[in-house]
Amino acid sequence: MPRSILDESRIHPAIRERVASHQQAIVKEVQAAVGTHAVVVVGMGQNPFPKKARKLLDAAGVPYHYLTYGNYFSQWRERNALKLWTGWPTLPMVFVKGTLVGGANDLDKLIASGELKTLLA
């Protein structure tokens, strides 16, 4: 099921470059990490769910790369670019072998079902 994204033809040519380049440094950083590491957790300070995801991975003995961006009071614009890029509305964002698998609760289900081991095999 494809996400609804505004077609580029519906964006005025004068602002297309600004739309395309908005906060791309953070997106490229996450893309690079996802391309390099089998498991990547993207989180932020003060949010308990990135910590939950890391604890779940630690308990399962799964190595991961953690990227943290600000907290509730900082770097929200940068994090918003990640949300627009992925379509995932919350943090953490957990990637396994380049695929967004969801957040902490989704990761918990993958571990409990054994699917995470299958994805990493």
Side-chain angles (χ1 to χ4, degrees), residues 5-86:
I5 299 174
L6 185 62
D7 189 87
E8 188 170 334
S9 68
R10 307 305 292 167
I11 299 171
H12 191 277
I15 67 165
R16 284 186 187 150
E17 176 58 30
R18 194 165 78 194
V19 169
S21 63
H22 179 72
Q23 298 292 348
Q24 285 303 292
I26 191 172
V27 173
K28 288 178 191 230
E29 183 176 17
V30 172
Q31 287 173 327
V34 167
T36 304
H37 303 280
V39 179
V40 175
V41 178
V42 179
M44 61 182 267
Q46 298 176 321
N47 182 331
F49 290 98
K51 186 175 185 178
K52 176 182 178 182
R54 294 190 331 265
K55 282 185 174 186
L56 289 166
L57 291 166
D58 288 341
V62 175
Y64 59 91
H65 183 72
Y66 182 57
L67 298 169
T68 182
Y69 297 106
N71 57 47
Y72 289 109
F73 303 107
S74 69
Q75 290 189 290
W76 64 269
R77 285 184 178 93
E78 292 90 341
R79 290 191 308 275
N80 194 46
L82 293 175
K83 293 175 182 185
L84 292 170
W85 170 58
T86 62

Side-chain angles (χ1 to χ4, degrees), residues 86-108:
T86 62
W88 189 251
T90 60
L91 293 174
M93 294 175 184
V94 181
F95 295 86
V96 177
K97 293 226 173 162
T99 299
L100 176 66
V101 298
N105 293 332
D106 306 289
L107 176 63
D108 195 10

Side-chain angles (χ1 to χ4, degrees), residues 104-115:
N105 293 332
D106 306 289
L107 176 63
D108 195 10
K109 290 175 188 172
L110 287 177
I111 292 170
S113 72
E115 188 177 351

